[in-house]
Amino acid sequence: MGEVYHFQVNLGGMLDILSNHLYKTAEVFLRELMQNGVDAITLRRKKEPDWNYGKLFIQLVPGHELVFTDNGAGLTEEEIHHFLAVIGQSSKHDLAGGKIPEDFIGRFGIGLLSCFMVSDSIVVRTRSADSDKAYEWKGFPDGTYTLEEQTDNTKEEIPVGTSVFLTAKKGCEVYFQRETIMRLVRYYGLMLPVPIYLNDEPEPLNYVPSDFRKLGRGSLLAFGEWLFDEEFLDAIPIHTKHLSGVAYVLSYKTDATVKEGHRIYLKNMLLTDQGVPLLPDWAFFLRCFINTYALRPTASRESFYENDELEAARTEFAEAVKQHFAELVEDFPNVLQQVVAVHYDALKSMAVWDNEMFRLFIDYLSFETSEGEMTGSALKHTGAALYINDVSRFKQLKPIFMAQGKLLICTGYMYDEQLILKMADMFGLNITPLHEEDMGAVLKEIPNIAQQRALALIGLFNKSLQEFDCQADIRRFYPIDLPVIYYISDDVQFLRQMQDAKENSRGIFSEALASLLSNTVDHTLAMLYLNYDNPLIQRLLYLVENQELLQCIAKILYIQALAAGGHSLHQGELKALNQELIYLVDSHTL
């Protein structure tokens, strides 16, 4: 076996890793100081069970110097050498067993080095609760440090605890300003169970009502407004095995890609403002204030490790949110309506691919139907229904379905078809697409006695509409005031879109579309349904001898049906309309 060597740590390289790779911003130095201070106080409480006077103090010379003091357990000379000089060794370890108790915040023992991001030196003055001796440790970025005993100290002159002295290096003065310190303390340390005082001011910077978790809805909303500086639609209490806090519902639309803006704490110390990886993907419409004790942080203390505990916490969060919305149905239905109204589009987009989100909100999402707006909950109890993904065709067919007591759902809006299909599949509903063969269920046959005259009229219409790839038929349907309905298959719809593109393009693209259109000879025709009960159609049945007039009217009714259905008119159709109107004017003047 060869000789054993020790790794040599380049502190400069380590600082580069800290500033450029491990930590996102230099401001985390204050988070690390607060973390170490709270852990020192926790350790002293363990050593002195009757002692409960932990405090943190920040003395600030604006733009120049900061002194961070805790009255925790302090360090002995042995502990200083063992913990401050060994990178990666945490002072919270049990020296005998090498384990960190769960009630400590820190784990990795590299947080103090983050102070080099804002100061060219770190001075630590400390006295242990187990010793009368006090020491001053000075660390430098080149990896050297000095240690001196404070020989003239007494218990009265140097109290138990630790003070860290930092001097602002050039370019970092902003971190030594009162406003910055106040913001960072309240950001990172708002929930810390130890008060933090600035420059001997009487009130701590991190005051939070101790009973906020028991507050009513109004008080929770007021707390959220104070914390996040914005108003919310609702407050969802979160109390589970792994999590405690509040999830606030935003009062404005937001994008599903937004993940930041939260306050996620670990053992009362802010860990991250990112929802990932703790919060489910669908929680984008929430702003969360959550604390956890059981989850494991990453080395940078800016996220959580993916493990079974994290997955359990995510599940607990989802269940708490779902339970809350279920209670809103009974207690505050108007609040739930506000939530859905504000976040409707975003909720639909997430529900399409996220089953959890789908189950959570499908009952409250609304869809346009022939019976008016209906929620997912109502659609579950409607029995059979048809859907159509074209808004203009839906609007034409709506009165027919409504008059006959049949349900037609419009899925022409974004995500609606996917949601309807998902709902039909998940809950076993009889909801199917509207096909041409289904039109027979809503368009009734005409009386046998009128068949002969109707066939003559249909023949003339077909002759006139041949150039538009449309054929006519005559049925009975409501409302009677509607003379014709233009019904177009998906194939013909696609062909019309291609024709539109061709007429509005030039060059090679137009030629390519023309080539495609020339190859679509045998395609399904569009249908123009004449309403037998309509007064105009009734009069036309008795004008079959006037073929020229009927063919003119056929083209006008066809183009009227196109316009009523929201279809764009092609150049040939506009030309035909103009010609037939001229014919009618000339016929009348003659």
Side-chain angles (χ1 to χ4, degrees):
M1 181 176 178
E3 186 176 351
V4 176
Y5 296 92
H6 291 283
F7 285 105
Q8 300 297 312
V9 177
N10 183 309
L11 188 57
M14 188 69 180
L15 293 178
D16 178 68
I17 291 174
L18 288 176
S19 59
N20 296 320
H21 302 284
L22 186 62
Y23 296 125
K24 294 179 180 178
T25 172
E27 66 184 27
V28 298
F29 84 95
L30 192 58
R31 182 193 72 182
E32 298 300 326
L33 290 175
M34 288 189 288
Q35 168 188 302
N36 289 341
V38 172
D39 284 343
I41 290 170
T42 301
L43 181 58
R44 184 171 181 180
R45 286 173 180 165
K46 286 179 175 291
K47 293 181 176 181
E48 304 175 27
D50 295 331
W51 181 83
N52 192 28
Y53 306 101
K55 295 179 181 179
L56 301 177
F57 304 91
I58 300 174
Q59 293 294 327
L60 183 68
V61 179
H64 179 64
E65 186 179 66
L66 180 149
V67 182
F68 190 95
T69 302
D70 70 74
N71 60 352
L75 295 169
T76 65
E77 182 178 6
E78 178 188 5
E79 290 169 338
I80 290 173
H81 285 295
H82 189 79
F83 297 125
L84 296 189
V86 179
I87 294 174
Q89 179 67 56
S90 173
S91 61
K92 274 74 74 173
H93 276 91
D94 179 349
L95 287 177
K99 294 183 179 180
I100 301 178
E102 288 299 321
D103 49 357
F104 288 116
I105 301 173
R107 299 183 63 89
F108 298 99
I110 57 177
L112 187 62
L113 294 181
S114 65
C115 293
F116 281 126
M117 299 166 67
V118 298
S119 176
D120 286 327
S121 65
I122 303 173
V123 178
V124 178
R125 294 175 186 167
T126 183
R127 183 168 77 83
S128 171
D130 300 327
S131 173
D132 291 339
K133 295 181 179 181
Y135 297 90
E136 181 178 273
W137 177 92
K138 293 182 179 180
F140 303 95
D142 62 1
T144 62
Y145 70 91
T146 62
L147 180 63
E148 295 182 5
E149 181 181 344
Q150 304 296 287
T151 55
D152 58 347
N153 67 304
T154 65
K155 285 186 178 181
E156 290 73 28
E157 291 174 342
I158 300 181
V160 172
T162 300
S163 293
V164 179
F165 296 78
L166 303 176
T167 302
K169 64 182 181 181
K170 188 176 181 180
C172 294
E173 293 84 1
V174 65
Y175 298 110
F176 290 72
Q177 300 295 336
R178 185 176 187 276
E179 294 75 14
T180 303
I181 296 300
M182 292 178 63
R183 176 179 62 83
L184 294 180
V185 169
R186 288 170 177 167
Y187 182 66
Y188 287 110
L190 182 67
M191 286 191 66
L192 288 177
V194 176
I196 305 172
Y197 296 90
L198 175 63
N199 289 342
D200 299 321
E201 295 177 5
E203 294 296 327
L205 297 178
N206 60 330
Y207 173 76
V208 174
S210 59
D211 61 346
F212 80 94
R213 296 170 187 169
K214 300 179 181 179
L215 298 177
R217 181 174 179 272
S219 298
L220 283 176
L221 287 171
F223 175 77
E225 183 177 351
W226 171 82
L227 177 63
F228 292 105
D229 195 26
E230 61 178 307
E231 295 183 357
F232 297 98
L233 293 178
D234 196 21
I236 305 172
I238 306 293
H239 303 300
T240 72
K241 177 182 176 181
H242 292 86
L243 307 172
S244 63
V246 189
Y248 292 98
V249 181
L250 294 171
S251 60
Y252 50 85
K253 291 184 179 181
T254 186
D255 190 86
T257 60
V258 176
K259 306 297 182 183
E260 70 274 3
H262 306 281
R263 299 287 181 89
I264 310 296
Y265 297 80
L266 175 63
K267 299 174 185 176
N268 298 313
M269 173 65 76
L270 185 81
L271 187 84
T272 180
D273 65 354
Q274 299 290 317
V276 177
L278 173 60
L279 303 179
D281 289 336
W282 50 257
F284 61 91
F285 66 99
L286 301 174
R287 185 78 76 237
C288 296
F289 173 71
I290 290 177
N291 186 45
T292 178
Y293 281 88
L295 301 183
R296 182 185 176 191
T298 58
S300 66
R301 291 191 48 77
E302 294 177 347
S303 188
F304 295 106
Y305 276 112
E306 284 282 355
N307 55 22
D308 292 342
E309 292 294 308
L310 181 61
E311 182 61 32
R314 272 195 295 257
T315 301
E316 292 168 5
F317 180 87
E319 291 300 320
V321 173
K322 285 189 285 187
Q323 178 62 32
H324 179 79
F325 282 118
E327 293 171 356
L328 281 186
V329 175
E330 300 295 330
D331 302 331
F332 299 99
N334 59 318
V335 174
L336 185 62
Q337 290 172 0
Q338 279 185 293
V339 173
V340 174
V342 171
H343 300 289
Y344 185 75
D345 293 334
L347 293 175
K348 286 201 305 181
S349 69
M350 292 294 288
V352 167
W353 58 270
D354 190 296
N355 288 339
E356 195 170 30
M357 190 70 161
F358 177 84
R359 292 189 181 94
L360 184 61
F361 277 103
I362 189 61
D363 283 353
Y364 316 120
L365 297 177
S366 60
F367 300 87
E368 187 175 356
T369 77
S370 53
E371 298 295 333
E373 292 288 324
M374 295 182 69
T375 63
S377 177
L379 288 176
K380 289 180 181 178
H381 304 91
T382 55
L386 296 169
Y387 71 84
I388 185 170
N389 60 9
D390 185 279
V391 177
S392 59
R393 288 155 66 187
F394 165 79
K395 291 179 178 179
Q396 283 186 303
L397 296 173
K398 177 180 177 179
I400 300 174
F401 276 76
M402 184 171 58
Q404 298 186 24
K406 299 180 184 296
L407 186 64
L408 180 65
I409 305 169
C410 179
T411 58
Y413 302 103
M414 189 172 293
Y415 306 118
D416 280 5
E417 183 171 4
Q418 297 99 310
L419 290 173
I420 289 296
L421 289 174
K422 192 169 186 175
M423 186 162 58
D425 178 66
M426 190 170 290
F427 302 111
L429 305 179
N430 184 16
I431 301 178
T432 56
L434 177 66
H435 297 297
E436 290 187 49
E437 55 266 27
D438 297 314
M439 292 300 293
V442 294
L443 304 176
K444 303 302 181 182
E445 298 292 340
I446 65 174
N448 291 332
I449 193 172
Q451 290 286 345
Q452 185 175 357
R453 193 173 291 273
L455 287 174
L457 179 62
I458 292 302
L460 290 171
F461 265 68
N462 283 337
K463 184 177 180 180
S464 181
L465 301 179
Q466 186 175 4
E467 64 179 289
F468 305 116
D469 292 327
C470 181
Q471 62 183 22
D473 198 359
I474 187 166
R475 302 289 181 88
R476 307 181 73 171
F477 52 87
Y478 290 97
I480 294 175
D481 291 339
L482 188 63
V484 291
I485 289 178
Y486 178 76
Y487 184 78
I488 185 172
S489 68
D490 292 337
D491 291 337
V492 178
Q493 174 91 334
F494 176 68
L495 291 175
R496 287 194 64 87
Q497 291 171 348
M498 288 181 61
Q499 182 66 34
D500 287 340
K502 175 183 175 298
E503 293 182 356
N504 290 283
S505 61
R506 297 289 185 271
I508 296 177
F509 185 60
S510 177
E511 293 173 3
L513 289 174
S515 177
L516 287 173
L517 288 168
S518 66
N519 294 325
T520 56
V521 178
D522 299 323
H523 56 262
T524 305
L525 296 174
M527 294 295 301
L528 185 70
Y529 289 102
L530 282 60
N531 189 352
Y532 177 81
D533 293 323
N534 178 263
L536 173 61
I537 303 302
Q538 278 290 314
R539 294 185 66 177
L540 296 181
L541 286 170
Y542 293 94
L543 293 175
V544 292
E545 292 80 9
N546 193 338
Q547 296 184 14
E548 192 172 1
L549 175 61
L550 283 180
Q551 289 181 10
C552 168
I553 293 175
K555 292 180 181 180
I556 293 175
L557 287 177
Y558 162 75
I559 296 169
Q560 176 193 0
L562 281 178
H567 300 283
S568 60
L569 300 182
H570 296 160
Q571 294 176 3
E573 291 160 347
L574 289 170
K575 182 179 179 180
L577 176 62
N578 186 57
Q579 290 175 341
E580 301 311 325
L581 289 175
I582 291 175
Y583 167 78
L584 288 178
V585 171
D586 290 343
S587 299
H588 180 74
T589 56
L590 291 175

